[in-house]
Amino acid sequence: MDQVYRPSLSPQVNLDLPENKALRSLLSDISLRILSMGAGSFIENFVQAAGETLSADMLLISRVKSKDIPVETYALFDRRGEATQYTYPIAGTPCEQVIDNACSLVVNDEVAACFPDDKDLADFGLHSYIGTPLKDENDTPIGLIAALWGTARADLHLEIKALEYFAPLLAENMLQLESKARNELAVAGAASGAWFMDFEEDTEYFSRAAKRVIGMPDMPCKAKRNSAINRLAPEDRRILMAAFEAYRRGEAPFDVNFRVVSDGEGVRWLRMTGKANRNADNRITAIAGDLTDITELVEAKRLAEAASRAKSEFLSTMSHEIRTPMNGVLSMAGLLARADIPSEQKRQADVIRKSGEAMMVILNDVLDLSKIEAGKLVLENRVFSPRELIEDVSMLWRDTIKQKGIHFETQVSEQVPEYVIGDETRLRQVLTNLISNALKFTPKGQIFLTLENKTCKQAPGLKFSVKDSGIGITKEQQTHLFKAFDQADKTISRRFGGTGLGLSISDKIVRLMGGAFNITSTPGQGSTFSFTISAETANAEKMQKVEVSQIPSAAHEQKQKTPEATAKNKRAILIADDNDINRSVLKAFLSRLPLDLIFVENGAEAVEAASAQTFDIILMDVQMPILDGISATRAIRKSDSLCRNTPIIALTANAMPGDRQRYLDAGMTGYVSKPIDPAALFQALKEAKPLNLNLNDTTGSKRMA
């Protein structure tokens, strides 16, 4: 199993993911829900994700500053949708016991009887309770997470462990939010100091507030020019003078940050701004402006950057945890589809592969935070068959719908072209969401999926429709359907589940495709969701280009080789990966090629193997125990072994921006992401070239990728 590091906001918070498989699965489910929510408050996203995943009737995060004042929730999940904020006295509640004992509390049944003074437990009809404290860096409770259920719960061991796992991250996030609020209030309420310099009189004036801000209260209000500046440290004097010279020359406004050191206050950051009067010769005669203490803003910026790094680490960690098993699923499904098995089983394996690919595409876009938060989503333009798309989606859902006793039927108009240009993966995502909703809200009856030719904005297009005989939607409810995290009825989440994101994402995708949704619905009779998109028909020339570009070059070349050529060109490859599934996948991909495959399970073994014999190529996983792939690569590059210049290709589930460049900077020569695409792997092997290192170069800076 790859080594996983717990995302942290400070050096004090650094925990590994647990080894318990059931707990890892639960944490992964919560994390997937958080990832699906994209941007937003981490605490609010966690409460929603954890509440849904744990099937809790209520889940809350509270800040406890004093037991003498009512406690207010930071964030609240209420399955009934009756409350968005909750204030309660902590005395006599199970939450008080969590804070007093500074440890977790589990009550499987009759929590109201155990805490008779807590009237809200009985009023809300709650029976089971778990709670765990949130602690600061001194291990002092500052708040808590609590989850409650309206029924008795036999075993809440995994649930409390999940809350304990996320507690340090939530506590850090809570403190940062408070720090940010304090900083904003301090800046809003602080009085900036005024300053003035007269170049003709060679004097300067600092207001009382300015003297306080700069930490020189004993300085006279009127003094010789540069008196205050001359009391600063040399480096900060240079910063101020350089800013003034740039302003004097007209190159920039006078707006500069610098430091002062005050007795008892340490280092503080100040911001000085000003505007000048100039004479007829454009020489400055006087300048005046503001002086502000921005120490808390600088600290808030540092904390925000730390939070951003922690968020990136968290997403990178969860990306790795999801991609590692998906690598096995997609790769083995691809191999199965190419095996000598009956055509129907090939079709089923292909559906598994395509569905997994659709999930990975969505995950990739969620992880690309800059793109998601900026509202950018780039569509692919590839040739695909809309008929096959309908068939794939139909096959994916047919058995599930049949098990519910619902009739399912698809209809494709004869006028629909055989091939069009567009984003098949995103269309599959939209259709899957629509069918999922139709199935969710249709207790009996039928569901129809139809496709027809339709003009969209005076251009060729396709119209997709999903019709059901379900519960229907009122006109008022339809106004909320495409809002993120919103649902037509507040009871829907409790009755049917879901986050309310699906239709919002689908609507944005359809709009990017040049189309729009249309809804017709009658409560009690059913609904029809349809959308029309622009879709250019693929001509023969474009079809030929796509077919040629999609042939895996290395695999294609292998089929053309004679046995004699294969034996002659056989190459040795060292593969370092600690995961059994990943090694099995790579062996299945590469065993038919003219290669000698040597497998090791960590970076230390890779370094040892590279010093013992010559390899033509090294495939190196990045996250491994004992010695990770980056450290192993650096060790090989610094050694005097025969593999010092051997091409090293990174195999990794990390998919955050900048990962590829980080690996190349470490001395790797290529990069293949997981889940592994056979064509990408074959191409990387084909293009692998030795690293050009001279005797003094051990950094890996000269490389041929």
Side-chain angles (χ1 to χ4, degrees):
M1 180 62 63
D2 292 335
Q3 184 177 357
V4 179
Y5 293 100
R6 171 71 161 78
S8 62
L9 297 179
S10 71
Q12 289 77 22
V13 184
N14 187 13
L15 303 175
D16 290 339
L17 285 172
E19 294 297 329
N20 184 288
K21 291 184 179 180
L23 181 54
R24 291 174 72 92
S25 177
L26 181 59
L27 294 176
S28 180
D29 289 345
I30 295 174
S31 301
L32 274 174
R33 287 183 182 270
I34 295 174
L35 290 172
S36 71
M37 295 176 185
S41 166
F42 177 76
I43 287 182
E44 293 179 357
N45 288 354
F46 169 82
V47 164
Q48 181 70 25
E52 291 286 356
T53 304
L54 302 181
S55 300
D57 292 299
M58 183 176 289
L59 192 145
L60 56 88
I61 294 179
S62 297
R63 175 71 159 101
V64 181
K65 296 182 179 180
S66 170
K67 292 167 59 176
D68 298 327
I69 60 175
V71 175
E72 185 173 344
T73 57
Y74 253 59
L76 173 68
F77 167 80
D78 183 358
R79 188 170 294 279
R80 299 165 305 174
E82 295 179 2
T84 56
Q85 201 74 8
Y86 179 49
T87 302
Y88 61 98
I90 195 172
T93 68
C95 296
E96 181 184 36
Q97 187 169 326
V98 172
I99 295 297
D100 287 347
N101 297 334
C103 63
S104 299
L105 172 67
V106 178
V107 182
N108 296 91
D109 194 12
E110 299 298 333
V111 67
C114 296
F115 297 89
D117 292 337
D118 189 347
K119 304 301 182 184
D120 289 342
L121 294 174
D123 292 344
F124 285 119
L126 298 169
H127 284 264
S128 303
Y129 173 98
I130 60 173
T132 194
L134 304 178
K135 301 179 182 180
D136 62 16
E137 61 184 7
N138 298 318
D139 211 35
T140 301
I142 60 171
L144 59 92
I145 324 169
L148 303 98
W149 291 265
T151 58
R153 306 283 289 192
D155 183 7
L156 291 169
H157 174 73
L158 288 179
E159 287 81 351
I160 192 64
K161 289 297 183 184
L163 296 190
E164 289 173 350
Y165 176 82
F166 281 102
L169 187 62
L170 293 165
E172 287 283 303
N173 193 259
M174 177 183 289
L175 291 174
Q176 287 178 359
L177 291 174
E178 292 183 354
S179 175
K180 180 181 178 182
R182 287 196 302 270
N183 294 336
E184 292 174 348
L185 181 62
V187 171
S192 297
W195 62 276
F196 174 81
M197 285 188 179
D198 190 318
F199 286 76
E200 295 177 336
E201 287 188 1
D202 198 28
T203 56
E204 67 183 15
Y205 300 82
F206 280 77
S207 70
R208 182 177 300 175
K211 291 189 293 181
R212 172 180 55 79
V213 169
I214 204 170
M216 303 175 186
D218 58 335
M219 186 177 67
C221 289
K222 180 179 179 180
K224 185 175 178 60
R225 187 167 61 89
N226 292 334
S227 295
I229 293 177
N230 289 335
R231 295 170 66 174
L232 300 177
E235 180 181 349
D236 295 288
R237 284 203 303 270
R238 286 193 293 270
I239 291 173
L240 270 172
M241 296 308 299
F244 175 76
E245 287 300 315
Y247 177 67
R248 183 183 62 80
R249 294 191 298 267
E251 298 173 355
F254 187 68
D255 189 340
V256 59
N257 297 342
F258 62 96
R259 299 167 302 170
V260 296
V261 180
S262 304
D263 293 339
E265 296 184 8
V267 176
R268 293 183 299 114
W269 282 91
L270 307 184
R271 180 189 182 194
M272 178 178 273
T273 61
K275 288 190 175 182
N277 287 332
R278 297 176 183 264
N279 60 18
D281 297 329
N282 201 35
R283 295 180 62 183
I284 294 178
T285 59
I287 184 171
D290 290 335
L291 186 64
T292 307
D293 190 329
I294 60 169
T295 303
E296 291 188 344
L297 286 177
V298 171
E299 178 64 12
K301 180 175 181 291
R302 186 189 67 80
L303 289 173
E305 290 171 347
S308 177
R309 287 193 299 271
K311 185 177 182 181
S312 296
E313 291 173 9
F314 175 78
L315 294 178
S316 178
T317 297
M318 294 319 303
S319 166
H320 186 277
E321 287 300 297
I322 294 167
R323 286 171 177 272
T324 296
M326 282 302 295
N327 180 46
V329 173
L330 291 179
S331 301
M332 290 304 180
L335 290 171
L336 188 61
R338 292 192 291 273
D340 186 15
I341 57 177
S343 59
E344 179 60 20
Q345 293 181 10
K346 283 180 178 288
R347 184 71 178 139
Q348 292 169 351
D350 201 42
V351 169
I352 294 174
R353 180 183 59 80
K354 289 183 179 180
S355 300
E357 288 174 349
M359 174 184 172
M360 294 309 303
V361 168
I362 298 167
L363 175 64
N364 289 339
D365 284 325
V366 172
L367 292 173
D368 192 351
L369 289 177
S370 59
K371 181 166 57 180
I372 293 294
E373 291 178 353
K376 297 178 181 178
L377 193 66
V378 179
L379 298 177
E380 289 186 347
N381 282 317
R382 296 171 62 94
V383 174
F384 72 96
S385 168
R387 298 175 184 273
E388 290 184 6
L389 171 63
I390 294 296
E391 185 179 350
D392 288 346
V393 174
S394 169
M395 187 173 181
L396 180 65
W397 284 96
R398 190 175 302 279
D399 290 343
T400 304
I401 295 173
K402 184 178 180 181
Q403 290 173 4
K404 195 174 178 180
I406 296 173
H407 175 71
F408 181 52
E409 186 176 323
T410 61
Q411 298 174 349
V412 180
S413 170
E414 293 182 357
Q415 284 73 40
V416 172
E418 287 297 325
Y419 294 96
V420 297
I421 299 174
D423 195 326
E424 178 186 12
T425 301
R426 291 298 176 185
L427 281 173
R428 180 182 286 106
Q429 179 186 351
V430 173
L431 292 174
T432 295
N433 178 259
L434 294 181
I435 295 177
S436 175
N437 284 344
L439 180 61
K440 186 186 300 182
F441 300 114
T442 304
K444 60 181 180 179
Q446 58 273 335
I447 297 174
F448 295 94
L449 171 61
T450 61
L451 171 61
E452 55 188 308
N453 222 18
K454 189 77 172 181
T455 301
C456 180
K457 296 182 179 179
Q458 300 180 342
L462 297 172
K463 180 180 179 180
F464 297 85
S465 300
V466 176
K467 181 180 179 180
D468 64 65
S469 59
I471 62 176
I473 313 167
T474 66
K475 289 290 185 182
E476 194 279 331
Q477 289 172 337
Q478 292 178 28
T479 62
H480 300 281
L481 285 178
F482 296 110
K483 295 179 181 178
F485 308 107
D486 205 349
Q487 293 179 319
D489 190 321
K490 296 300 183 184
T491 64
I492 285 177
S493 178
R494 176 171 56 85
R495 295 171 58 196
F496 301 102
T499 63
L501 266 180
L503 283 177
S504 175
I505 294 174
S506 297
D507 180 56
K508 289 178 174 60
I509 292 173
V510 169
R511 290 179 184 275
L512 284 173
M513 292 180 175
F517 266 99
N518 181 61
I519 307 171
T520 58
S521 183
T522 303
Q525 298 183 21
S527 307
T528 300
F529 284 75
S530 61
F531 63 93
T532 304
I533 61 165
S534 300
E536 179 186 355
T537 301
N539 56 36
E541 180 182 355
K542 291 179 179 177
M543 281 295 300
Q544 184 177 12
K545 288 181 179 179
V546 171
E547 288 172 357
V548 171
S549 67
Q550 292 178 350
I551 295 175
S553 58
H556 178 71
E557 290 177 2
Q558 174 60 22
K559 293 179 181 179
Q560 309 303 319
K561 291 183 177 180
T562 64
E564 294 78 8
T566 295
K568 182 179 179 181
N569 296 322
K570 201 167 188 180
R571 297 193 292 175
I573 294 186
L574 174 63
I575 300 173
D577 198 307
D578 65 315
N579 188 277
D580 290 337
I581 295 176
N582 292 340
R583 293 196 299 271
S584 298
V585 168
L586 289 167
K587 184 176 182 180
F589 282 160
L590 301 175
S591 59
R592 298 181 181 179
L593 298 178
L595 303 170
D596 280 331
L597 305 178
I598 306 298
F599 290 89
V600 295
E601 298 184 10
N602 58 63
E605 292 180 359
V607 174
E608 183 179 355
S611 64
Q613 72 177 86
T614 301
F615 292 97
D616 296 287
I617 298 173
I618 299 175
L619 300 180
M620 184 80 73
D621 185 28
V622 172
Q623 287 188 305
M624 292 184 289
I626 303 177
L627 190 68
D628 62 71
I630 292 179
S631 300
T633 298
R634 289 182 177 138
I636 293 171
R637 296 303 184 211
K638 291 179 181 179
S639 70
D640 56 359
S641 70
L642 295 175
C643 292
R644 184 170 183 262
N645 294 330
T646 297
I648 301 177
I649 299 172
L651 300 176
T652 178
N654 289 341
M656 298 302 290
D659 282 335
R660 182 180 187 276
Q661 190 57 48
R662 184 161 59 92
Y663 304 146
L664 295 179
D665 291 341
M668 295 177 170
T669 55
Y671 173 100
V672 177
S673 64
K674 299 175 183 176
I676 296 173
D677 177 9
L681 177 61
F682 296 151
Q683 191 65 27
L685 293 175
K686 179 182 177 182
E687 296 176 353
K689 297 178 181 179
L691 192 70
N692 290 334
L693 288 176
N694 59 43
L695 293 177
N696 297 318
D697 183 8
T698 59
T699 63
S701 59
K702 298 179 181 179
R703 114 182 94 256
M704 298 175 66

